[in-house]
Amino acid sequence: MTSRNIVIIGGGPAGVFAAIEARRRDPLAAITLISEEPCEPYERPPLSKAVLLGRASAADAPIAGPKGLAGHGVTLECDTRCTAIDRTAHEVVTASGRRFPYTALVIATGSVVRQLPALPLGAPHVHYLRTEAHAVALARELKTARHLAVIGGGLIGLEVAASAAELGVKVTVIEIAPRILARVCDEDTSARVHDAHRRHGVDIRLDTALTGAQATPDGRIALTTGASGTIMADLVVVGAGAIPDDRLAAAAGLRTGNGIVVDSHCATSDPNIFAAGDVVRFPGPHGLVRQEDWRHAQDQGMVAGRNAAGANEEYRSVPSFWSEQFDLYIQGVGSPPAKPERRVRREGAGTTQICFELSGPHIAYALGINAQRDIATVRRLIDRRIAVDPAALADPAKPLADFLKARTPS
Ligand SMILES: Cc1cc2nc3c(=O)[nH]c(=O)nc-3n(C[C@H](O)[C@H](O)[C@H](O)COP(=O)(O)OP(=O)(O)OC[C@H]3O[C@@H](n4cnc5c(N)ncnc54)[C@H](O)[C@@H]3O)c2cc1C
């Protein structure tokens, strides 16, 4: 049997963990990861936190560990943009015309920022945050900025707001919804996070839509809004979400639509091509879903990599995310039901709290603040569908791990 030739496109966690797991599964395979970025793949979460605060650089956080991908026996082709997938020849084509033959391919091209027409990427003093280059450029301007406006009170916008406030920059957040983090937080938790920002001087304008932006002769940007009039800022960060970068897959004729559609084994509509991470839509409990978080990218990348190397595994996930803002370590785990049947709040010491959303006797979703250890337990409770007693759940004196011991059939 000829040895496998596995090619991976994309140097985020999905691509890197696909490469590492493919190597573990098949020690003889030739494995190549192609990334358009100029460096060893790095973690994105620090970009809106430690990197902006000047406490770390992307080079401090290589996804593949200190020895990089080479340490795992994976060939990294960086600074290399893939422009086409020739499915007939089984080759990936790059911008410089090089062709990489594959026996199995993993697409892990992630997402790209959602741009606002009024504030295009590249306009003076306008920033988006996705890559190290974006973070370095923003950190440089933050050093001299006096007033930062952040468009969007979602996770990344609020992390940038918190970092800038810690650097002593005046910050205004413009949020169209009636509360921040509405997609992931219950009202009370939203209010607590909002309050933390207020205490650090961040001015969050809710129910406020951006209607236009104009560069002014003094080098600032005038942001016109519906409810808050004109806001003058010398720096703007747009945190308006991300869209799956499925262009390569779509051009190759793979099934796409708001992401690359894969089955439960991470296979695309071409059985030799797998996909994972931010870029995919995969079967969730209630139909196809997208997930944009680090843990999903890692876990799904691992399954895609193993399957590209001959395994036949299903990907099952408990969605989760984390965010750091000031002294709040916010974590979500599970899938928020459209209408929770019951909410239970567990208040610990200081700022520690968890808000549970129940569906019948089971936890569907939990949102924790400064409750890392408990959230790890909650993840297991959700994964194993263990029934819980709401009164005990609300009692901080009752260890959550007890539910794991006293397992009741679901
Ligand atoms: C600033 C920031 C902070 C974040 N913080 C958190 C956090 O605190 N917690 C959390 O859970 N998640 C966080 N996330 C989200 C998390 O980082 C993403 O969900 C994760 O990176 C997705 O991984 P991925 O491998 O699917 O895609 P990506 O990380 O987007 O990687 C895709 C890679 O593919 C490359 N690529 C795309 N097209 C091509 C091509 N044609 N040829 C070659 N290369 C290509 C891209 O350049 C990129 O390097 C954050 C994201 C950002 C941007």
Side-chain angles (χ1 to χ4, degrees):
M1 191 184 127
T2 52
S3 58
R4 286 192 182 87
N5 199 3
I6 300 172
V7 174
I8 293 140
I9 307 173
V16 169
F17 283 102
I20 292 172
E21 286 302 300
R23 162 59 67 235
R24 282 214 182 106
R25 162 95 198 172
D26 184 349
L28 299 179
I31 303 177
T32 306
L33 186 146
I34 305 174
S35 170
E36 66 185 348
E37 296 199 63
C39 51
E40 179 71 30
Y42 57 87
E43 299 288 11
R44 291 183 206 286
L47 298 181
S48 46
K49 310 162 189 111
V51 174
L52 289 189
L53 292 168
R55 294 182 188 147
S57 73
D60 297 329
I63 303 177
K67 293 187 182 152
L69 279 164
H72 297 272
V74 173
T75 304
L76 172 63
E77 295 282 350
C78 54
D79 230 343
T80 304
R81 177 158 182 81
C82 301
T83 49
I85 299 166
D86 182 339
R87 287 170 55 199
T88 312
H90 286 202
E91 287 176 343
V92 172
V93 186
T94 72
S96 65
R98 287 173 73 192
R99 297 180 84 90
F100 289 85
Y102 64 81
T103 48
L105 174 67
V106 179
I107 306 176
T109 43
S111 347
V112 287
V113 291
R114 186 188 301 280
Q115 290 192 52
L116 300 182
L119 293 163
L121 183 64
H125 313 303
V126 171
H127 292 262
Y128 287 77
L129 190 51
R130 186 78 208 167
T131 65
E132 181 198 17
H134 293 160
V136 168
L138 174 58
R140 195 183 307 122
E141 279 215 64
L142 274 173
K143 282 190 183 142
T144 52
R146 280 173 303 176
H147 187 184
L148 165 72
V150 176
I151 316 296
L155 291 167
I156 290 185
L158 291 174
E159 288 186 355
V160 171
S163 299
E166 283 187 45
L167 291 168
V169 179
K170 180 180 170 203
V171 184
T172 305
V173 176
I174 297 170
E175 168 57 53
I176 195 167
R179 62 187 178 89
I180 56 168
L181 298 177
R183 258 188 333 130
V184 293
C185 277
D186 61 288
E187 291 83 353
D188 187 71
T189 312
S190 273
R192 289 183 191 210
V193 178
H194 192 140
D195 194 49
H197 279 267
R198 193 181 295 121
R199 278 186 279 109
H200 287 84
V202 177
D203 176 11
I204 301 179
R205 311 275 179 96
L206 300 173
D207 281 318
T208 302
L210 180 79
T211 51
Q214 189 81 48
T216 61
D218 63 357
R220 291 190 295 165
I221 301 172
L223 300 164
T224 42
T225 70
S228 291
T230 300
I231 296 168
M232 300 297 299
D234 45 14
L235 190 58
V236 176
V237 172
V238 182
I243 47 178
D245 191 353
D246 59 7
R247 292 169 289 182
L248 205 52
L254 297 174
R255 190 174 160 217
T256 57
N258 184 30
I260 305 172
V261 176
V262 294
D263 66 14
S264 57
H265 290 70
C266 310
T268 66
S269 50
D270 179 331
N272 296 310
I273 304 181
F274 300 83
D278 274 16
V279 73
V280 304
R281 278 209 302 147
F282 65 99
H286 310 291
L288 291 175
V289 289
R290 274 192 74 230
Q291 254 174 250
E292 283 175 26
D293 65 77
W294 190 95
R295 171 92 188 233
H296 157 69
Q298 173 202 255
D299 292 354
Q300 196 180 36
M302 286 176 157
V303 174
R306 290 196 288 266
N307 287 351
N312 185 27
E313 288 179 27
E314 279 201 33
Y315 174 63
R316 267 185 65 236
S317 83
V318 177
S320 62
F321 72 89
W322 81 92
S323 176
E324 292 159 67
Q325 298 168 34
F326 305 112
D327 58 349
L328 305 182
Y329 195 94
I330 305 162
Q331 288 172 289
V333 60
S335 305
K339 241 186 169 189
E341 287 169 28
R342 182 164 186 182
R343 274 205 180 115
V344 175
R345 196 168 288 281
R346 180 182 174 97
E347 304 269 1
T351 50
T352 302
Q353 62 143 345
I354 305 178
C355 176
F356 296 94
E357 299 192 356
L358 302 188
S359 190
H362 300 112
I363 303 170
Y365 182 65
L367 188 82
I369 294 184
N370 296 338
Q372 287 97 309
R373 191 176 296 175
D374 274 350
I375 288 291
T377 308
V378 174
R379 186 183 184 91
R380 289 157 71 199
L381 293 172
I382 295 175
D383 192 31
R384 297 188 206 166
R385 279 185 63 77
I386 293 179
V388 291
D389 165 30
L393 208 55
D395 180 358
K398 163 119 178 119
L400 293 178
D402 287 0
F403 289 118
L404 291 170
K405 288 182 217 144
R407 199 202 147 132
T408 50
S410 56

